[in-house]
Amino acid sequence: MKQLLIILFSAGIFSVSAQNASLIKRLDGSTISADSLTNAIKTFMSKGNVKGIGITVFNSKKPVFMKTFGYSNVEKQKELQTNTNLYGASLSKAVFAVLVLKLVEEGVITLDKPLQSYLPKPIYEYEHKVWHEDFTELKSDPRYTKITARMCLDHTTGFPNWRWFESDEKLRIKFEPGTRYSYSGEGLTYLQVVLEKITGKPLEGLAQEKVFKPLGMTNSSYKWQDKFEKDYAYGYEHDNSLQEKDKDNAPRGAGTLETTLEDYSKFLSALLSKKLLKEKSYKEMFSPQIRIHSRTQFGPGAVEDGNWNDNIQLSYGLGWGILQSPYGIGAFKEGQGSGFQNYGIIFPEKGIGMLIMSNSYNTDSIIKYLLETGIKDTFTPWQWDQYIPYDKK
């Protein structure tokens, strides 16, 4: 089955289907022409001052619209292409969640057994080569021994997003594990390190074996590859200043994914078509694990609770945000950093979705309108995500 999937993707069936739809079906049953969507994207880019963007729309579980606009390098006027390398940022986490569930299916781990119990000695006693493997600060807090893979994937470990956001830059548990949603790259990294020790394989090798190669994602990696040098995008800040490309990150499932619009579209299409995992795993991944009541995902609003998103029953699944809509659940994942702004959402019951990948932070100001225009997604919690439209700032 894996070989057949690779053949289908590499033979061009994937890309052909992505280019030939003249009418795009939206969630409410209405349609929009490819030309109309193209024109709308260009208009939004101009109003939002967006430098480069790639958009894929999915109908019947496969891409029916895939286009790039603007530049990968504004200074050199180099146009962004569907196979241009883009920094995936936290889109990494959605791929990592699938990888973890593959390992659960194979019996390597379970979701609810404390991760420390898989190791012959405390995690803080292991030597570390890179900073994200350093867990010495956990020695004084035994609550870490309660943390499970499920808690890491649904962001309830109690860890901060990243230790460097703390005033002393030390890793600590900020609340009782399993009790509250709080976005944490550190949580997924802890899970990654334990998996690497259990399997004896590095993250990159596991990802290539379990996800990238089976899907024909030949231009995706958790670490920089020499082949990316031929065509990669620079990121641009809100003030349009250029960010130097970071090429020396140690692989982290929480945030170092390098990919392309084409490759990540293959990933989302595979999820919609249920190509990689068993039915039970998909149900786990896209089932609400914990309700979210915070006003925003980050910043002061992250600890301010209320009923802002009760209308969509905002929750977190395993690696994905989950919302309820009249068209079934919507599973979404954001990703931003180093000038890149990404967002993907799929509605599995409808086979409809949209992927937005951009090398411009200003894309946050047009995400709401792109989703509403492309697929009639009026459910994405844009205020919680702090995607404030250009005409509402």
Side-chain angles (χ1 to χ4, degrees):
M1 181 61 189
K2 289 181 179 179
Q3 290 178 330
L4 176 60
L5 196 57
I6 294 172
I7 292 170
L8 289 176
F9 281 132
S10 61
I13 293 173
F14 177 85
S15 60
V16 170
S17 67
Q19 303 299 329
N20 290 341
S22 58
L23 286 179
I24 297 162
K25 186 176 180 180
R26 301 186 285 193
L27 288 168
D28 63 355
S30 65
T31 60
I32 184 172
S33 71
D35 287 345
S36 294
L37 180 55
T38 294
N39 291 334
I41 293 168
K42 290 178 179 178
T43 298
F44 294 141
M45 285 182 68
S46 177
K47 291 183 176 179
N49 197 12
V50 171
K51 299 307 177 187
I53 195 168
I55 305 284
T56 301
V57 178
F58 303 83
N59 279 181
S60 300
K61 305 178 183 179
K62 61 182 182 294
V64 292
F65 178 96
M66 184 191 297
K67 285 191 176 184
T68 50
F69 306 82
Y71 301 100
S72 60
N73 187 320
V74 175
E75 290 70 25
K76 294 183 178 180
Q77 295 288 284
K78 187 175 182 179
E79 294 185 353
L80 184 66
Q81 306 292 335
T82 59
N83 61 354
T84 298
N85 168 265
L86 293 163
Y87 174 47
S90 285
L91 292 185
S92 306
K93 295 179 174 68
V95 176
F96 182 65
V98 170
L99 169 59
V100 173
L101 288 170
K102 287 287 289 183
L103 295 174
V104 170
E105 289 179 354
E106 294 170 9
V108 176
I109 60 166
T110 66
L111 288 171
D112 296 309
K113 182 178 178 180
L115 292 171
Q116 174 57 66
S117 65
Y118 288 99
L119 303 178
K121 62 181 181 180
I123 189 72
Y124 53 76
E125 290 186 2
Y126 286 87
E127 294 183 2
H128 58 276
K129 296 180 180 179
V130 293
W131 66 266
H132 73 247
E133 297 174 341
D134 181 4
F135 295 100
T136 53
E137 299 298 332
L138 298 183
K139 184 176 182 179
S140 61
D141 192 340
R143 289 182 297 176
Y144 91 91
T145 61
K146 301 177 181 179
I147 295 174
T148 65
R150 188 184 302 276
M151 293 177 193
C152 295
L153 292 174
D154 68 14
H155 297 278
T156 60
T157 60
F159 288 137
N161 189 7
W162 294 110
R163 65 190 72 185
W164 63 74
F165 292 141
E166 299 296 294
S167 58
D168 57 4
E169 298 190 358
K170 292 183 178 181
L171 181 63
R172 58 170 54 84
I173 297 173
K174 307 186 76 170
F175 56 81
E176 184 68 18
T179 62
R180 180 183 176 86
Y181 171 85
S182 183
Y183 195 84
S184 176
E186 291 283 359
L188 273 81
T189 303
Y190 172 52
L191 173 55
Q192 170 192 331
V193 172
V194 172
L195 287 174
E196 289 176 325
K197 295 186 184 307
I198 292 173
T199 63
K201 297 178 180 180
L203 169 68
E204 177 65 14
L206 289 168
Q208 291 291 345
E209 175 189 347
K210 308 294 184 182
V211 182
F212 298 145
K213 288 182 179 178
L215 294 183
M217 296 172 66
T218 57
N219 290 307
S220 295
S221 175
Y222 277 110
K223 65 179 181 180
W224 184 258
Q225 304 284 353
D226 289 341
K227 63 182 178 181
F228 299 154
E229 292 285 350
K230 63 183 180 182
D231 186 13
Y232 65 90
Y234 285 92
Y236 292 87
E237 297 285 347
H238 281 118
D239 63 2
N240 293 317
S241 60
L242 180 148
Q243 286 281 295
E244 287 300 320
K245 182 65 181 178
D246 193 348
K247 301 178 182 179
D248 60 356
N249 279 320
R252 286 188 294 278
T256 64
L257 178 67
E258 300 286 346
T259 189
T260 67
L261 183 69
E262 286 185 358
D263 266 16
Y264 209 82
S265 295
K266 291 177 182 179
F267 175 68
L268 293 187
S269 186
L271 291 185
L272 285 167
S273 301
K274 298 184 177 179
K275 297 289 187 182
L276 276 176
L277 299 170
K278 297 177 181 177
E279 182 65 34
K280 180 181 178 181
S281 297
Y282 281 107
K283 186 174 181 180
E284 283 271 23
M285 187 164 61
F286 293 144
S287 291
Q289 305 289 320
I290 188 161
R291 279 291 296 274
I292 298 173
H293 299 288
S294 60
R295 183 168 60 85
T296 59
Q297 183 164 210
F298 299 112
V303 294
E304 184 180 345
D305 287 351
N307 61 358
W308 291 280
N309 291 295
D310 282 0
N311 62 319
I312 58 170
Q313 298 178 49
L314 182 63
S315 308
Y316 225 80
L318 300 180
W320 299 77
I322 303 294
L323 58 83
Q324 301 293 330
S325 82
Y327 312 106
I329 67 108
F332 65 91
K333 188 68 202 79
E334 321 87 341
Q336 67 174 38
S338 302
F340 290 80
Q341 191 77 253
N342 308 311
Y343 185 82
I345 185 166
I346 55 176
F347 292 82
E349 293 174 43
K350 297 289 286 187
I352 290 174
M354 190 168 187
L355 172 62
I356 301 165
M357 299 189 72
S358 171
N359 63 332
S360 181
Y361 263 156
N362 286 330
T363 297
D364 61 359
S365 73
I366 67 173
I367 286 177
K368 177 180 186 290
Y369 298 140
L370 290 170
L371 294 169
E372 291 176 353
T373 303
I375 60 172
K376 289 293 184 182
D377 170 16
T378 59
F379 313 102
T380 283
W382 57 271
Q383 291 169 306
W384 182 74
D385 268 319
Q386 296 169 290
Y387 293 152
I388 309 303
Y390 57 83
D391 56 356
K392 297 184 183 295
K393 291 185 176 182

